[in-house]
Amino acid sequence: MRRGWWLVRWLGTGMAILSLLTHSWGQDTEGTVLVGNMQINGRPQDPGRTISLLLLDNYDYWVILDPTRQRLYLNSTGRVLDRDPPNSITTIVVQIQCTNELVGTIILHEVRIVVRDKNDNTPRFQQPRYYVAVNELTPVGTTIFTGFAGNNGATDIDDGPNGHIEYSILYNPNDPASNGTVSVANTLSGHITLAERLNYEERTRYLVLVQANDRAPYPPNRRTATTTLTVDVLDGDDLGPMFLPCVLVNNTRDCNPITYHVAIPEFTEPSKLNPLNVTPSIRAVDMDRNIQPPSDRPGIHYFILVGHPNTYPEYFSLNRTTAELHVLQPISRDVYQRFTLIIKAEQDNGHPLPAYADLIIEILDENNQAPYFQFATYQGYVSESSPVGTTISASANLTAPLGVIALDNDIEELDPGETPTKDPMVKITLNDYTTIFGLTPTGLIRYLRLLKPVDREKQMTYTFTMVSSDGVQQSIPVTVNILVLDANDNTPTFPEVSYSVEVFTDMQQGETVLQLTAADADEGLNGLVTYEILAGAQGDFIINNRTGRITVAPGVTLTVGRSYALTVKASDNAPETQRRSSITTVYIEVLPPNNQSPPRFPLFTYSLEVSEAMRIGAILLNLQATDRENDPITYRIVSGDSQKVFNLSETIGLLLLDQPLDRETTDKYRLIVTASDGNPGGTSTTTVNIVVTDVNDNDPKFNITTPTNFTVQEEQADLFIGEVTATDPDAGPNGQVRYRIVNHPDLFTISENGSIYTRVPLDRELRSQYSLVVEASDGAVDPRRTSLTLSIQVTDIDDNSPMFSQQTYVVNVPENSPVGTVVLKLSAVDSDLISNVTYRIKTESAQQLFSLNPITGELAVLQTLDFENLAAMGMGAFYTFQVEAVDQGGVMPPGQATVTVRITDMNDFSPIFVQDLYKGLVAPNAEKGTVITTVLAEDQDPPGTPASFVRYRVDLDRSPYSGSIFDVEEVSGRVITKVNLNEEPSVTFKLFVIAFDDGEPVKTNSTLVEITVLQPSRIPIFTQEEYKFSPVSELAPFGKRVGTILAAAVNQTIFYSIVAGNELGHFQVNNRTGVISTAKPLDYENVTSYVLRVQADSMVVVMSNLRAPSKTNTAKVFIEVLDENDHPPVFTRKLYIGGVTEDTKIFSSVLKIVATDKDTGNYSAMAYRLIIPPTPEGQDSFVIETYTGIIKSAMMFRNMRRSYFKFEVIATDDYGIGLSSSAEVVVSVVNALDMQVVVSTVPPTLVEEKKEELIRILERHVQDQIPGAKVIVEAIGPRRHGDGFELEDYSKTDLMVYAIDPLTNRAISRQELFKFLDGNVLDINKEFQPHLGEGGRILEIRSPDIVASVKKAAQAVGYTEGALLALAIIIILCCIPAILIVMVTYKQFKERQAECAKTARIQMALPPGGKAPPAAAPSANLYEELGDNSILQAKKSVVKEADHQRIFSTFACRSLAARSNGELHVNLPKSESNVTFYSDRNPLTTHNPVYDNSPIGSPHAERRFSFSPSHSAALGCNWTMPARIHGGLHSYEAPRRQVLMDPTTWELQILRAAMNGGRGTESSDALDISGSTETKMSVREQARQFEQPTLLEQPLRQSRESLGSFSSVLVRDRDSDEILELTSDTLFSIMDYPYSPTSGGRDVPPSIIISQGEEQWPLASQRPTPPVLRESSSSISSYMTVQPCQIMVELIPDPPDIPPPLPPRRPQPPSPPTSPPSSPPPSPPSVSFLPEPRYSPPSPPPPPPPPPPPPPHHKPRAPPPPPPLPSPPSPASVHSRPVVQFVPTSLPPVSMLRPVSERKHPRPLDPAQADVGTKRELKGILKNIQNLAEIERSIANLYSQVDKNCKAPKFTKKPPVTEESEGANKLQSSDPRHEQSTPKTTSSSSAVQINPATSVNCTEDGTSQPSVAAEAQRSSQLNSNSPSDLSENFSSQSTVL
């Protein structure tokens, strides 16, 4: 009852009302808490779980549930919660399922989460830019732009204020004026108003920067976007006209006053001059030149305002509209020489701002053609030896004479290239050198002759000008340059006639005797002098032929007294026939040496160069002479140093500088120096020639006489302009002047001598004057410079042809115009300064009809032209001919224009009616517009002329009343009713109709129309006003009946007719029957319906050839035409060309096929199919979408470049069942090597929009080279740039294209495509401009990225090889230390392996087993048998070895489970984390479960305790997985890990788990482990403790094995004290019983594996390590066993999607045969406790803190059904078993093991207790064990866990649970396969627990001491504690014997 009451209370709490708060959060917050606490009553975590929470309907897993904290989180990992489109997540609704774990009820709660908007989207304008055009006259404040209204402006997808847009104007730094020009009138609508007045003439465009921002509540969070509003200013009419041409004043909008000029010859008839040729043409335009539309632009009117003389109106008139100036009468120059007029231009709309200009009219003399020379310059040549009368030659070789031709257009007009034939007889005069040169006075060609000899040596060139005159006018001067050529007219001349020289016998060979010099004034070879000795030398003297130096010949010894007379000749080097020479005589006398000889200088002449910068006092020369007698010598400067510049030492002969030198003052010195020894005749002389060298200390200076104003003719290159001269007094390079053009080096050039030439032809019309800066610099390293500014005036030549004001003139000339009528005035202008433009007709045929005044350009008719005669003659009414404007003084070809003269017809004939009288009938009630009759008049004027166009009107003067009710259509002549009639029958009206034409003048004619009102009885009546018949097929045959119309009349025969709507004659009506039928083939595509107007008349009326239409006798007939499939499809092109790349994916679109059909409806709906030749593989290469016509690829095209596919496409209308047509398709395979990238300056989006237009432009330019080529777009993307094209620029576009050649069906090569496109990039840019917008253009055309990358990689190969080699060397050097480290490590590993093998041999030396000593011999010591012969004993028998292995296996199992504190106080050998078990065959090393290396808090820390089955008892234990050990506060918690069990222990564990599980919630966690400490013991003491229970257990285990490890178990019932026998089936049925929800365990049976094997131990290598196990609990708590056993359970991982088997029903246990045990404690629930060890801890430790809540886990999967169990033993063996108690072991939850460094160490041992017992010396191999103490401690700890006294507790059976609890329990388990990623979550009650009585407490000395008092104390403590107090007490394992 207490339990039921508690469950009801718990369920009541769990069903409390769940209140959830709706939360909202920012959409991009990650890890946000949505609901902090759902406030659900109950405990959702272990221990004591009362409720479980589950999250349902979690859309897209946005919510994470933390059931422990009852908290909801936002799952935004790796994504963003966005409420805006396209996600549009505004609300998240989830269901929280709350399950009451006590009663199994489920409550669902809805949590609604509203996603609030975050301002994370920027407003976006719908258009990239906006445009508006505003007239400059728009008033300020006017709204000029409303384009942001609606969705056309900026939009923001945010919600609320975050999505509201407001507009503002931003300051535009690129257009500052735009900020104040406009303003935002309404910030919400974005309407833009004008803030300042506009002026088109100042600025035509404003770029307004408009900002759109949202209205987020917090202004700093507002987002903005900007766009540009382009405001174009339209021109308005706010300015007046201006005369052209306009030259602005100081860059203003005002024009300089313009003057027009015109010259007319005197006494000339006006007809020959009009209109006058005004220069420039009088023309004015409105300064508002761009008023739109052009039709709104005002016209200009011209007037002559005033003039001088006042009689100008008598002679001149100005056309008001054309501004043509006409002369009215001939003018005498004797009376008027000039007229000065002021003309005015104003707009025709009354604009108040007129313009004014001056007009000057010159009256010319009759001889107004000035002579001119044929050439602008003449160049002549003459030899200086030419005699008088020689003609000047035109070439330097003097072969052709220089001819001068002067012409006069008054005598003969010449065309360009035409040879003159008439002598103009002009006078030519020279302005200079008239005494030297003369010109022949007469003749067409004049020649220059030499009048006086010339001497080149005196003057080399002659330049003068010539002028020709006809007596009235004078020509432009021309320049003549005459160059005098050199002649050998000068003889080399010696300064002296003869020379006398004295020489001495002691002169040496080569010593100079005399230096001769002869001079020749000629140039070149004519002036080059050579010397030779003709006679007298006798071989003793020689002369240098170039220098003239006479020296002593080699090997000659002079003899005293000899004399010589040398004849020396000096001659030039002219040709032999012209060579000149002269001679001189040199007398030489040989003297003996004087014994009293004077001092002799080493040289007769000294030459010395001294810098003018030499310092004063410097030694210049040593002039020391030698004297044979060694007399003292005195030196003096005799002459040459008048300024005492030098100082000569008198005694030693050193020449010093005494004063500064100035080369520019004196550049050389010739010093005569004497050396005297004081004796008479003892003086000798030498000459010192000192040349002062230059220092650059002077600037170049231009000659002050150099002119600075020059003239040069235009249009000639390399033309001499003038010469400048600059001098530099410095010498050498310092004085060499160089010239340079500073400011116009591209137009002018200057030579080394300062001559200036034109580099390129100049154009005076472009520029007439240049200021040229010439710089002169010397040749020093650091030159000195001087500049001079020259003014160059460009003179005009005749280099421009006259240009007509229009290239085409069109004029209308009325026929029959009188002869001489001026019909057109031509105007041509010559840009040259001096021009005389005359006009002429070039076309000879037109010269017979028209005349052209050569001066005025007036075109007049020569004969009367009759339009009709010309038309009859076939000449037509148009004359087109060519006219020319010739510059009479020039040589340029004439200008040409085309004149078209239209002969307009004059109205010669009047219209004539075809009838004199017209009659008509009309109904008395005829409606307005009723047609009565039609009048017709003809005109004999030529058809098509205005005079032949006849129109009609009513003569209201003659028929006023009839004209008020009847009218005639102006064009058609139909007489109609003007009003609705209401007249009496039989009344006749007379209507006079006038026919008139459009001729000039208008001619008319008239006729009479009599209209009679018909009797109503004679008017039939139609049965219907409108007839609608069934549709008629367009394929209906002729005569197909459409329908019948019917009218009725009294005593009348009815005549039917179609009066309207049948203009094409497609239908006909039977006049008698009214049947309408087809008369012609119909065509729905042309006309889809007809509306016929039919009329029914009386036959009497019809016979009178009259009609009387009325409302009753006319009707409408509606006929619809039915469409038929009569037109096949038509493809847009016959050949479709496409392309695919090699990497094209399957089903990629290739191209689209389009076929059209004139039919409608389904008849125009196409179905497409392909006809493709089969491939060898049988696979189609392409497919086509049936109804869209899109061809797609159906295969891969790898390695198929340069191949193509050709197939046929069929289009069938009517969805594939109608008519068909075909076209060819060619698809070529390409790759990037065939492509080019067109880089443009606009974004990819714009290129995508304009793709079709741009491709058509590119295609057109490619087709210019390859007709029919097809350009295909491969990709459009942002511009890629950078070294590896890894950068992207989205403001520019890469358009990748390639082209297909239709002839080869293959791609055009990339190089050719580049040539086609790049060569026309300028033209392409022009055509791209309208599509790309302002600034859009092509930047470049380049190869694709991959091509450039391959090229770059290929170029980098050379550098990569060296880098790889260096890298390889570095790797080798780095590997050497690594190899050494590996070798050392391997050596250490081998040493460690040897130590492990040594330890293995030690453990193998343990006793092999055998029969255990009796239980009464506890003193048997295991280590007494361990000697040196232990290894030999281990090999004596296989049976003993198997027993030994089994015993040691038990020892190993208990060693692993011995430690409860998780810490060893010893140092394990080499590795503390591994435990090595050895056998005689194969050792096995496994992880030591006592140590855990995983980090605290890892998922492994939550792994629960699990059983693993062993083999049979003979096989021992299996290895288990690593486990963790966690220490408490004062003691370490029992290790929660897997244990090693034999089958017997496994059976015992099953019943223990069942017993503990049946104690309920109060006792499920009743175990409280007290802290235990260990005492260090000797090896022998610990061995004794371990050996005794082990040996005692062996006989019992053997007897149990003989009965089978899975025989029946005797169990005592706690309530009835009966002994029950449980078979294996019964035992598993108990385990399979569904578990209670209060336990939190699984509700499905676990999978159990029990292995029984041979009696022989298997090889260690064959022992499998079990998989990761999953814990489970089973409800067998209703029973307790009499026989002790242990149960080990291994859970097999669940396969997916296999439902669990239904649990079997629990069988009824038999009545127990034994007596009940001692009564349980009275407190419920009653539990029997086993005797407790006799050691009692000082104080109970506090419970450890609860474990943290587990994270969410995956949904568990149902385990598979258990494997088959072994057969139960025979009943005979049941009675032979003793009755023992069954105590199952506890199954605690998992805990963590902290690192060794952090573990709590137990108290140190007391030294007195450190060694207990008698110490004995070790024997044999045990002497060498280094860690024997550690082994002893491990064995001692294992022994301390053994308790021989077991007391069987009582337990009762639990009631079954409901299905709801089963479903809840399923959520508590987890799949072991997910242990690594998802930790398991299991409540504390899900593990089978053991009560405190079953625990074993170890004393300090390691012995087990049961204590009754401790048992009683623990019992009372258990009964007083609550379940929560006991939930944290666990035990690792209790072994009960």
Side-chain angles (χ1 to χ4, degrees), residues 532-546:
E532 63 175 330
I533 299 175
L534 298 180
Q538 301 178 18
D540 294 337
F541 301 93
I542 61 175
I543 188 172
N544 189 300
N545 64 341
R546 292 298 181 188

Side-chain angles (χ1 to χ4, degrees), residues 101 111 307 367 606 668 758 1042 1084 1608 1790:
E101 297 291 350
V111 178
N367 184 10
Y606 291 87
K668 61 179 62 175
T758 57
V1042 178
Y1084 177 86
S1608 61
V1790 177

Side-chain angles (χ1 to χ4, degrees), residues 1299-1317:
I1300 305 298
D1301 187 348
L1303 296 180
T1304 62
N1305 296 332
R1306 294 180 175 88
I1308 300 172
S1309 67
R1310 189 179 72 258
Q1311 294 78 7
E1312 289 187 353
L1313 183 59
F1314 175 81
K1315 180 176 64 177
F1316 297 159
L1317 298 181

Side-chain angles (χ1 to χ4, degrees), residues 678-758:
N679 298 320
T683 300
S684 62
T685 303
T686 188
T687 302
V688 178
N689 295 319
I690 299 177
V691 177
V692 181
T693 60
D694 184 53
V695 174
N696 192 18
D697 56 351
N698 293 279
D699 292 331
K701 293 183 179 180
F702 285 98
N703 192 342
I704 59 176
T705 62
T706 300
T708 58
N709 296 320
F710 296 93
T711 60
V712 64
Q713 288 184 354
E714 62 174 334
E715 299 300 338
Q716 288 192 28
D718 300 327
L719 187 62
F720 175 78
I721 299 174
E723 186 177 33
V724 294
T725 304
T727 58
D728 192 332
D730 294 325
N734 297 335
Q736 294 178 358
V737 180
R738 301 174 181 174
Y739 302 95
R740 182 174 71 92
I741 302 296
V742 177
N743 56 343
H744 294 292
D746 55 334
L747 301 178
F748 302 94
T749 181
I750 189 169
S751 65
E752 295 182 358
N753 61 355
S755 298
I756 302 174
Y757 298 88
T758 57

Side-chain angles (χ1 to χ4, degrees), residues 600-810:
R600 283 189 174 274
F601 287 99
L603 297 175
F604 289 118
T605 303
Y606 291 87
S607 297
L608 178 64
E609 291 185 355
V610 180
S611 172
E612 63 176 327
M614 182 68 71
R615 63 180 176 83
I616 298 175
I619 299 174
L620 303 181
L621 189 60
N622 186 358
L623 296 176
Q624 187 174 6
T626 58
D627 188 76
R628 293 183 180 181
E629 290 80 15
N630 293 324
D631 293 332
I633 303 174
T634 301
Y635 301 93
R636 289 185 178 87
I637 298 176
V638 178
S639 64
D641 188 17
S642 60
Q643 300 297 327
K644 303 299 182 183
V645 177
F646 303 98
N647 183 15
L648 181 62
S649 174
E650 293 185 356
T651 57
I652 60 177
L654 292 178
L655 183 63
L656 305 177
L657 183 62
D658 196 41
Q659 292 183 14
L661 298 176
D662 186 6
R663 194 204 63 79
E664 287 73 28
T665 302
T666 306
D667 60 348
K668 61 179 62 175
Y669 295 88
R670 184 180 180 87
L671 306 181
I672 304 300
V673 180
T674 62
S676 175
D677 57 4
N679 298 320
T683 300
S684 62
T685 303
T686 188
T687 302
V688 178
N689 295 319
I690 299 177
V691 177
V692 181
T693 60
D694 184 53
V695 174
N696 192 18
D697 56 351
N698 293 279
D699 292 331
K701 293 183 179 180
F702 285 98
N703 192 342
I704 59 176
T705 62
T706 300
T708 58
N709 296 320
F710 296 93
T711 60
V712 64
Q713 288 184 354
E714 62 174 334
E715 299 300 338
Q716 288 192 28
D718 300 327
L719 187 62
F720 175 78
I721 299 174
E723 186 177 33
V724 294
T725 304
T727 58
D728 192 332
D730 294 325
N734 297 335
Q736 294 178 358
V737 180
R738 301 174 181 174
Y739 302 95
R740 182 174 71 92
I741 302 296
V742 177
N743 56 343
H744 294 292
D746 55 334
L747 301 178
F748 302 94
T749 181
I750 189 169
S751 65
E752 295 182 358
N753 61 355
S755 298
I756 302 174
Y757 298 88
T758 57
R759 182 184 295 274
V760 295
L762 303 180
D763 192 350
R764 187 206 59 80
E765 285 71 30
L766 296 179
R767 186 169 182 177
S768 60
Q769 192 273 339
Y770 295 89
S771 293
L772 190 65
V773 179
V774 179
E775 180 185 82
S777 62
D778 54 31
V781 177
D782 187 11
R784 303 171 76 99
R785 296 179 172 86
T786 302
S787 61
L788 177 66
T789 301
L790 306 178
S791 177
I792 299 178
Q793 196 75 23
V794 182
T795 60
D796 186 39
I797 65 171
D798 186 17
D799 59 341
N800 292 280
S801 298
M803 297 273 305
F804 281 96
S805 59
Q806 298 175 220
Q807 292 299 314
T808 301
Y809 294 88
V810 179

